[in-house]
Amino acid sequence: MRQRIENAQKEIDSKKMIVQNGKMRQHYHFMPQSGWMNDPNGLIFFNGQYHVFYQTNPYNGFWDCMHWGHAVSKDLVHWEYLPLALAPSEEYDDYQKGGCFSGSAIEHEGKLYVFYTATANHGNGSEQSQCLAISEDGINFEKYDGNPLFDAPEGIQPDSFRDPKVWKHENKYYMVVGASRNNRGLALIYESADLYHWNFLNVLAESRGEWGFMWECPDFYQLGDKYVLTFSPMGSGDHTSVYLTGDFDYKTGKFDWHISGEMDWGFDFYAPQSMVAPDGRRLIVAWANEWEWMPLFKDWGPTYQEGWCGFFNVIREVRMCKDGTLAFVPVEEMEKIRENKFTQREIQVTEKPQQLKAGDGISFEMKFTLDLEETDADRVELKLRCGKEKETRCIFDLKNGELLVDRSCADGWSVGTSRSVLKVSEKSLDVHIFSDQSSLEIFTDQYRNNHSNNIFAGNDQDAISISAFGGRAVIRNYEAYGLQECFN
């Protein structure tokens, strides 16, 4: 494996200086130095730093033979790239259309243990198994001689058994794995006394037809007095990242969920994974893309032309609300990169477009409250990244109770309108937006109704305007910031 990693690092080093000049490179979202990136893996605070690993193809800007990239940070905003952690090298994971798939990390006896899915093909199609690699220093890893730890159990499709998430409870270790059975998604739970030997415990939860045919990247954790299961269901339409909240019994390994929700209604939020910060916050990181909509038959998007593809969404804190739903709040560390603050106490909005100021109009943060008691408009339209007859429309449809983000005119490549229910029964509606070179993340309803959408807008698309139709609208406490460059 060491030789494979050295070869891949040489490939990255030979291209990264050219790639960093790409016009679509993000300013503050984490992205690879070059090549392809998708799922976050192995999130953990270890040896005084946050570690993120990620699925990557270091050789090109499209999905192919999976390696694990690696980076560390002390503040969740500025990241240092480290050498690749894992590369396909053994008979159980050395496959061009497989490799070292997603997984998780846990600290044990001062060492960092990472669990991943090995994908190989021995002539009977793709076969997936769960494997282990160990590091003394959190940087250099050795694969366990006893790999694979275990294969798919009877009845589970061998090519749909992946993405182990491991945690400790009392004196035992537990692992949840995504799977498919009878063309329906489910999550399996295993238990272990030593991290090496695993026993199947139960089906943690399963689709009854409503949540697709495969559950990718499951995560499971306690939040307050409830438990949370998250996963990305394949073949479930607009549902890209689902959460379930309810009760769990460690004796039976069965999860009894009562509430379901969507972590993000946008097109580009997938495979979220969580970690616990030193202060106890439950933080999630997600891949800012998704398999369902991407036109794989054409290309991997404008960034592919620049030799890279993929980035993470803004890191979010998971909070349990009183009604059992979840809120996903951008981490407070994002405030460290704010600059050029602009505020306006009140804005009267009519049908005539009104220009708004926020940083340079490209890399910015915006917050405001829509006063619903003083607003009688049927619809409020916020146009972002406007210029050269291109724009992304954020539509607050107050008459029909819907939030729509339309990117069909955003850049000449992106398509689609993301949609969700908008609560208009309250006295006000809070809005929080993060814009970067190639993405927009829109949060409303106390961070319970979110839309993350990639757009590939040029630097001449830096105007912002707002209009109201069918009446007027009143905005309170408008504040905006430019956001500093975090990547060179």
Side-chain angles (χ1 to χ4, degrees), residues 426-440:
E426 305 294 333
K427 294 182 179 180
S428 62
L429 176 68
D430 55 287
V431 180
H432 193 175
I433 296 173
F434 285 87
S435 172
D436 205 343
Q437 186 72 57
S438 299
S439 63
L440 287 169

Side-chain angles (χ1 to χ4, degrees), residues 37-90:
M37 184 184 89
N38 59 298
D39 304 354
N41 301 153
L43 310 177
I44 193 170
F45 188 83
F46 177 75
N47 282 351
Q49 298 183 102
Y50 294 98
H51 290 248
V52 297
F53 302 85
Y54 52 94
Q55 293 285 274
T56 186
N57 170 19
Y59 293 97
N60 216 318
F62 55 80
W63 186 95
D64 206 7
C65 191
M66 286 290 96
H67 296 58
W68 274 37
H70 188 191
V72 292
S73 173
K74 293 184 178 180
D75 64 2
L76 296 171
V77 178
H78 301 89
W79 294 90
E80 175 190 353
Y81 295 102
L82 295 180
L84 296 173
L86 298 177
S89 61
E90 311 303 319

Side-chain angles (χ1 to χ4, degrees), residues 167-378:
W167 71 97
K168 186 178 183 180
H169 175 72
E170 295 180 349
N171 295 320
K172 283 189 177 182
Y173 299 93
Y174 295 86
M175 176 192 294
V176 61
V177 184
S180 179
R181 180 176 64 186
N182 299 325
N183 210 36
R184 291 185 177 184
L186 67 161
L188 308 179
I189 187 168
Y190 292 77
E191 61 180 359
S192 172
D194 60 6
L195 291 173
Y196 296 96
H197 304 90
W198 294 86
N199 300 310
F200 174 71
L201 181 58
N202 209 339
V203 173
L204 180 69
E206 60 188 313
S207 171
R208 303 300 177 93
E210 74 276 44
W211 298 124
F213 64 83
M214 168 65 194
W215 288 1
E216 290 203 299
C217 301
D219 197 355
F220 191 67
Y221 49 87
Q222 187 172 0
L223 205 59
D225 61 353
K226 295 293 181 180
Y227 286 82
V228 177
L229 173 65
T230 67
F231 55 89
S232 286
M234 301 184 75
S236 195
D238 291 347
H239 301 286
T240 63
S241 295
V242 173
Y243 72 81
L244 310 176
T245 64
D247 301 309
F248 176 65
D249 185 349
Y250 271 102
K251 293 181 180 179
T252 64
K254 206 67 175 178
F255 177 51
D256 180 20
W257 61 273
H258 316 302
I259 293 174
S260 65
E262 196 76 16
M263 301 174 77
D264 195 297
W265 282 106
F267 293 108
D268 299 297
F269 188 92
Y270 197 82
Q273 286 292 288
S274 76
M275 61 178 162
V276 178
D279 59 9
R281 289 176 298 166
R282 176 65 63 168
L283 308 180
I284 59 165
V285 183
W287 174 43
N289 221 314
E290 199 268 330
W291 299 114
E292 299 281 348
W293 76 265
M294 280 192 83
L296 306 185
F297 55 89
K298 291 171 58 181
D299 58 37
W300 293 97
T303 67
Y304 166 72
Q305 306 298 329
E306 299 178 354
W308 69 286
C309 188
F311 47 90
F312 291 157
N313 298 102
V314 168
I315 300 173
R316 306 173 188 183
E317 178 188 351
V318 187
R319 296 179 184 174
M320 178 73 72
C321 303
K322 291 181 179 179
D323 61 1
T325 60
L326 299 182
F328 303 93
V329 185
V331 290
E332 59 189 28
E333 284 84 350
M334 290 298 298
E335 297 177 7
K336 295 180 179 180
I337 61 171
R338 287 174 172 174
E339 61 182 6
N340 302 324
K341 181 178 181 179
F342 175 81
T343 62
Q344 196 166 345
R345 190 170 183 179
E346 179 181 304
I347 303 174
Q348 297 284 335
V349 185
T350 64
E351 191 167 339
K352 182 180 179 181
Q354 184 165 338
Q355 300 300 308
L356 297 180
K357 179 180 179 181
D360 62 359
I362 298 169
S363 176
F364 66 83
E365 179 184 0
M366 174 193 296
K367 300 179 73 174
F368 63 85
T369 298
L370 185 60
D371 188 335
L372 297 179
E373 290 187 311
E374 296 294 326
T375 295
D376 58 9
D378 294 332

Side-chain angles (χ1 to χ4, degrees), residues 12-192:
I12 294 171
D13 292 340
S14 70
K15 296 177 178 178
K16 64 183 182 182
M17 298 304 293
I18 297 173
V19 169
Q20 76 174 17
N21 294 318
K23 294 181 179 180
M24 293 296 113
R25 294 287 282 178
Q26 296 280 59
H27 296 271
Y28 57 88
H29 286 79
F30 181 81
M31 56 193 165
Q33 291 176 292
S34 67
W36 166 271
M37 184 184 89
N38 59 298
D39 304 354
N41 301 153
L43 310 177
I44 193 170
F45 188 83
F46 177 75
N47 282 351
Q49 298 183 102
Y50 294 98
H51 290 248
V52 297
F53 302 85
Y54 52 94
Q55 293 285 274
T56 186
N57 170 19
Y59 293 97
N60 216 318
F62 55 80
W63 186 95
D64 206 7
C65 191
M66 286 290 96
H67 296 58
W68 274 37
H70 188 191
V72 292
S73 173
K74 293 184 178 180
D75 64 2
L76 296 171
V77 178
H78 301 89
W79 294 90
E80 175 190 353
Y81 295 102
L82 295 180
L84 296 173
L86 298 177
S89 61
E90 311 303 319
E91 57 89 20
Y92 51 80
D93 64 16
D94 193 4
Y95 172 44
Q96 191 65 30
K97 295 301 179 182
C100 303
F101 277 16
S102 297
S104 59
I106 189 171
E107 182 176 355
H108 177 60
E109 296 180 344
K111 302 176 184 178
L112 190 57
Y113 284 55
V114 297
F115 293 83
Y116 71 98
T117 295
T119 302
N121 188 330
H122 304 297
N124 297 313
S126 176
E127 297 180 4
Q128 298 176 352
S129 58
Q130 311 318 315
C131 291
L132 167 65
I134 304 170
S135 173
E136 299 271 356
D137 58 7
I139 299 174
N140 301 288
F141 290 83
E142 297 292 336
K143 293 177 182 177
Y144 173 50
D145 289 340
N147 284 339
L149 300 175
F150 54 93
D151 302 320
E154 185 176 353
I156 298 299
Q157 295 172 216
D159 64 345
S160 298
F161 177 62
R162 55 184 176 269
D163 311 332
K165 177 61 184 284
V166 176
W167 71 97
K168 186 178 183 180
H169 175 72
E170 295 180 349
N171 295 320
K172 283 189 177 182
Y173 299 93
Y174 295 86
M175 176 192 294
V176 61
V177 184
S180 179
R181 180 176 64 186
N182 299 325
N183 210 36
R184 291 185 177 184
L186 67 161
L188 308 179
I189 187 168
Y190 292 77
E191 61 180 359
S192 172

